[in-house]
Amino acid sequence: MALCSNPVTAGRAASLVMVVTNNMSKFCSLAPLVPYEHMTSPLDFSGEFDEPQPLEVEIGFGQGEVLVRKALEHPQRNFIGIERHWERIFRTMKTVTRFQSRRSGALRNVRILDVDAVFALEYFFARESIDHLYVLFPCPWPKKKHIHHRLFSTEFLKLLNSRLKAGAAAQIVTDLRPYREWILEQISETGFVCETEDIHPRFETKFERKWRLKGQTTFFEIRLRKISSVHAQEKEFIDVKSYRLGDFDPARFAFEDHKGPVSVIFKDFMFDPQRQRAEVYVLVAEQHLTQHLRVWIIKKDNFWRVCKAEGQMFFPTPGIAQAIDLVYAAATKTVQD
Ligand SMILES: C[S@@+](CC[C@H](N)C(=O)[O-])C[C@H]1O[C@@H](n2cnc3c(N)ncnc32)[C@H](O)[C@@H]1O
């Protein structure tokens, strides 16, 4: 199912304005980004690249040093980088643009997904679609109370297993020995065998340099190999429904925040009496995704329609459906005693 809209467009659009200039040294092409309008669940990556080649994925590529280097060294492989830090994505895209403008045909095998990695694997990658995945210096969350933020939980390892091809490998390198030990504890029943090695600096990334400058000379590698398949269902985008209401009283509209696995938090309500249109603005927080959503309650002939507002971007997830349902319920209440 196709995407109808998206949360981080504002970041993309703002950066586009900031960087598009006649001066090539400042020009940054958005071409490496997988465009939101292409983002289906699951994504057809063959349409993103010139050639259907083996697919490598880097999670948290930071400033893209390794992503770019590997893509240059292996033009016969396709690379998807996943990162959620916009400034780092922007820097990486500038590097990609620089190479592309110097060497025709260079780096046409790189694409970037600017979303959370868990969300990306759940929605965009089909089962058994990835040939190799690597993560260099994932956020270590060293404090005990933050451990639940760590990426390589058992649940994530199962998801990773299901998206890797049979026999494929994943590589994780961390600066924190206890993080490696913790990952090893998560591995049982995830369909992987693993090898570990203490390694010396070799990646020349920003974070590796940072630890080296602090005197660290050993890092902690885990190599996972998929030996059996674990099932983790691909998640699918939903069809966004709209509703009809016989009557609606904007003066009595009240929305109660909803908290749970999906939280829907009220931000604003406006009513335009001339257009006979109310707009409800909410934040929709799901496990790995927070989105802004505007919902219209709009008069049509002799009824009111509750529907997504036009001109916005979001991923049509189950949380979005729940938010529209809640707005519909709140609108219904305005004409009940
Ligand atoms: C410690 S930095 C390492 C960056 C880079 N690999 C390096 O070595 O310089 C971790 C990176 O992972 C990204 N990251 C962390 N969790 C992520 C997630 N769930 N999805 C996408 N990116 C993530 C962060 O934004 C950050 O850029």
Side-chain angles (χ1 to χ4, degrees):
M1 185 159 302
L3 170 89
C4 66
S5 27
N6 182 288
V8 260
T9 319
R12 282 184 170 189
S15 295
L16 183 66
V17 173
M18 194 167 71
V19 298
V20 171
T21 154
N22 289 334
N23 178 347
M24 272 306 282
S25 68
K26 287 191 184 159
F27 176 78
C28 174
S29 166
L30 295 183
L33 286 173
V34 178
Y36 293 137
E37 61 272 22
H38 289 194
M39 286 191 185
T40 52
S41 57
L43 236 166
D44 178 11
F45 286 110
S46 64
E48 292 299 321
F49 294 103
D50 296 348
E51 302 286 338
Q53 310 189 107
L55 183 64
E56 290 210 24
V57 173
E58 176 170 357
I59 294 178
F61 58 74
Q63 303 196 348
E65 301 94 331
V66 176
L67 184 69
V68 166
R69 215 161 53 224
K70 284 187 89 169
L72 284 170
E73 284 168 6
H74 303 284
Q76 75 292 2
R77 301 177 82 81
N78 291 331
F79 290 83
I80 304 265
I82 306 174
E83 175 58 71
R84 60 184 185 191
H85 190 293
W86 178 252
E87 278 174 39
R88 294 180 188 150
I89 294 168
F90 173 55
R91 271 174 171 264
T92 304
M93 292 203 308
K94 275 181 86 174
T95 311
V96 171
T97 302
R98 219 171 35 243
F99 274 103
Q100 286 179 338
S101 64
R102 279 192 206 144
R103 274 199 243 165
S104 83
L107 291 180
R108 293 179 63 82
N109 56 339
V110 181
R111 291 289 179 278
I112 290 171
L113 280 175
D114 57 338
V115 293
D116 179 273
V118 182
F119 174 69
L121 288 196
E122 284 178 341
Y123 279 88
F124 298 136
F125 289 87
R127 261 178 279 163
E128 313 236 313
S129 59
I130 302 173
D131 290 85
H132 182 72
L133 180 139
Y134 60 99
V135 189
L136 305 174
F137 308 105
C139 299
W141 298 106
K143 289 187 183 157
K144 208 169 171 186
K145 64 178 179 192
H146 292 148
I147 279 180
H148 64 279
H149 289 304
R150 286 178 174 172
L151 185 59
F152 289 95
S153 61
T154 300
E155 198 188 348
F156 180 75
L157 287 165
K158 287 181 177 172
L159 174 65
L160 172 59
N161 173 301
S162 84
R163 301 315 190 241
L164 286 173
K165 289 186 181 167
Q171 176 195 27
I172 307 157
V173 178
T174 170
D175 53 289
L176 197 72
R177 188 189 289 275
Y179 189 14
R180 181 172 71 182
E181 304 308 316
W182 183 86
I183 296 172
L184 295 176
E185 288 165 17
Q186 312 304 308
I187 272 174
S188 71
E189 295 182 20
T190 60
F192 288 113
V193 285
C194 70
E195 289 174 5
T196 61
E197 194 178 342
D198 291 1
I199 59 173
H200 294 303
R202 60 181 62 162
F203 300 103
E204 285 298 325
T205 65
K206 177 179 169 184
F207 278 83
E208 187 186 73
R209 279 192 297 276
K210 184 173 155 185
W211 308 130
R212 280 178 73 177
L213 284 174
K214 290 187 173 172
Q216 185 163 353
T217 53
T218 305
F219 298 112
F220 309 100
E221 184 182 44
I222 305 186
R223 292 187 297 273
L224 304 171
R225 183 159 299 280
K226 175 169 168 173
I227 52 159
S228 62
S229 285
V230 172
H231 180 68
Q233 188 67 41
E234 291 106 336
K235 291 194 176 171
E236 286 203 1
F237 292 142
I238 49 121
D239 280 325
V240 178
K241 278 203 279 185
S242 59
Y243 294 92
R244 266 177 178 231
L245 266 178
D247 202 4
F248 170 63
D249 180 357
R252 297 186 65 200
F253 184 83
F255 186 95
E256 261 183 48
D257 289 352
H258 176 87
K259 303 232 169 110
V262 173
S263 293
V264 182
I265 309 299
F266 177 77
K267 292 307 232 183
D268 208 355
F269 174 80
M270 287 168 283
F271 181 67
D272 179 342
Q274 265 174 357
R275 289 188 183 142
Q276 289 288 287
R277 187 172 82 195
E279 183 168 305
V280 187
Y281 168 32
V282 290
L283 271 189
V284 184
E286 292 160 88
Q287 209 184 358
H288 300 285
L289 184 68
T290 298
Q291 308 200 71
H292 300 256
L293 176 72
R294 291 180 295 110
V295 182
W296 279 350
I297 306 162
I298 184 166
K299 184 106 194 235
K300 292 269 174 201
D301 306 323
N302 55 353
F303 67 92
W304 293 80
R305 191 161 169 254
V306 181
C307 57
K308 70 183 171 68
E310 285 171 13
Q312 63 178 334
M313 299 287 278
F314 58 80
F315 291 116
T317 57
I320 291 292
Q322 193 168 337
I324 294 176
D325 286 354
L326 288 167
V327 172
Y328 170 61
T332 308
K333 274 194 187 158
T334 63
V335 286
Q336 288 171 346
D337 292 330

